[in-house]
Amino acid sequence: MANLETTRARAVLAEIPTELGFPIQHRAVNHLGALRRNALNPALIDSPAANIPDSFLSPRMSPDEAVIQQRGRRRVPIMWSPEKGFQSPNKTPTKSISAMTLRSSPRKRSLIRELSDVRVSGIDASHSSPSNKKNTPSKGSPGSAKKIRLQEGSINRSKSEVPLETLLKGFSQDQLIAMITGMVQTNPRLEDVVRSELPVPDIAPLEEQLCYQKRNIFKSLPATRLVSKTDSPAYARAATHLAAFKKTLIDQSQSLQSSKHWDALLDYVLMAWNYVRLTPVWDNHAHNAIRRHCFKILSYHANSALKNGSTGLGKERIERFHAKLKLMGADCEDINDCNVCIGYLLNKI
């Protein structure tokens, strides 16, 4: 039995060299070519259910799909660094501003050339003749214009047909003051004449301004009867006009006091007190601060006019003010300080 198996093995081994010859190699090459052709074509795979082609298990890419994928955007990894953050290698480099040159219009270039020529000529002239520049002033200098203005005069100087009153109405207050003081300095006697003819300042224009401001206050209030005119919303609408009324009163009284017209200042206090009393009294006590402040300002100016004007105010003016003092004290207690000064002046007159 063992001898039989060994003889079979030897017979198989003996056939191997003969199969490794050229004919066997030719068969192997043909077999490999067939395998390659079968790999390119859809082959059938044995399965318990059915024979399924390879193209169904691993579908091939069509030529159209390959073209579409080639047209797609190439994916480039985004680089990140802790200093600069995320950076994309596809980022377009920014152009340096210094390398850019801005073109100007031909008109602007010609103007630049003219200015440069003027500068160069001016520098040459200054280097060549510095003494001439100092001796001859420029035509547009402010000194020459000031001299021309001082030499100018009114065209109505020599025209006697125009009344003097009409001419004086066109001048400002500062011009009239400068003209009168200049005339008085050249003629001292004229100062006595002017002082003897000085009237009491007219407070009628001042009253018109106060009346205008008071009218604006009441115009800003609600017009319907169903809405309160003294509540907080109404005060909010009239607050701006109340501030304007207060500013006008302060400016007018300060102007009379600075000019030391004590008689006109006392008359102004009596006039302005009535307008302040006519302003609305608001429901909120804090909203009446402007009203109280106006009364205090007038009380201060009244006391100042009585002290500085003294007996020059006249008995009639002092008595008229004293008659209204009690009623004014109901509005503001500060006005009662004038009682001491009034009693002293009435006893002295």
Side-chain angles (χ1 to χ4, degrees), residues 66 80 135 172 201 203-204 206 308:
W80 181 86
N135 296 331
S172 63
I203 62 174
L206 307 181
N308 294 283

Side-chain angles (χ1 to χ4, degrees), residues 150-286:
L150 291 176
Q151 294 175 359
E152 290 180 355
S154 177
I155 60 175
N156 293 319
R157 282 182 175 180
S158 59
K159 294 182 180 180
S160 58
E161 64 272 10
V162 181
L164 182 62
E165 297 178 358
T166 305
L167 296 177
L168 294 178
K169 290 179 181 179
F171 296 102
S172 63
Q173 186 176 4
D174 295 336
Q175 285 180 319
L176 293 175
I177 292 172
M179 182 176 60
I180 294 173
T181 52
M183 295 170 62
V184 168
Q185 290 176 359
T186 56
N187 189 0
R189 294 182 179 179
L190 185 60
E191 183 177 358
D192 298 334
V193 176
V194 173
R195 285 183 178 272
S196 61
E197 296 296 331
L198 285 177
V200 178
D202 188 12
I203 62 174
L206 307 181
E207 185 177 2
E208 291 179 0
Q209 294 180 7
L210 282 179
C211 184
Y212 173 75
Q213 298 293 343
K214 181 184 71 65
R215 193 182 301 116
N216 289 338
I217 294 172
F218 285 97
K219 282 184 178 180
S220 63
L221 298 178
T224 59
R225 297 181 179 180
L226 301 176
V227 181
S228 176
K229 297 182 179 181
T230 57
D231 55 357
S232 296
Y235 170 78
R237 297 177 61 177
T240 304
H241 302 287
L242 287 170
F245 178 84
K246 174 185 172 182
K247 184 179 183 302
T248 303
L249 186 140
I250 293 174
D251 294 342
Q252 291 177 354
S253 58
Q254 187 65 33
S255 177
L256 291 175
Q257 185 178 11
S258 60
S259 60
K260 301 186 184 302
H261 289 290
W262 310 118
D263 46 2
L265 181 59
L266 194 62
D267 295 340
Y268 177 82
V269 170
L270 291 175
M271 179 270 296
W273 196 280
N274 295 327
Y275 283 94
V276 177
R277 183 184 294 164
L278 293 175
T279 56
V281 179
W282 309 101
D283 299 338
N284 192 349
H285 180 72

Side-chain angles (χ1 to χ4, degrees), residues 84 121 133 147-148 246 276 311-312 344:
K84 299 181 180 180
S121 61
K133 185 176 180 181
K147 292 180 181 178
I148 294 172
K246 174 185 172 182
V276 177
T311 57
Y344 172 78

Side-chain angles (χ1 to χ4, degrees), residues 23-35:
I24 299 300
Q25 293 179 355
H26 181 71
R27 293 175 184 176
V29 170
N30 294 334
H31 181 67
L32 290 174
L35 290 176

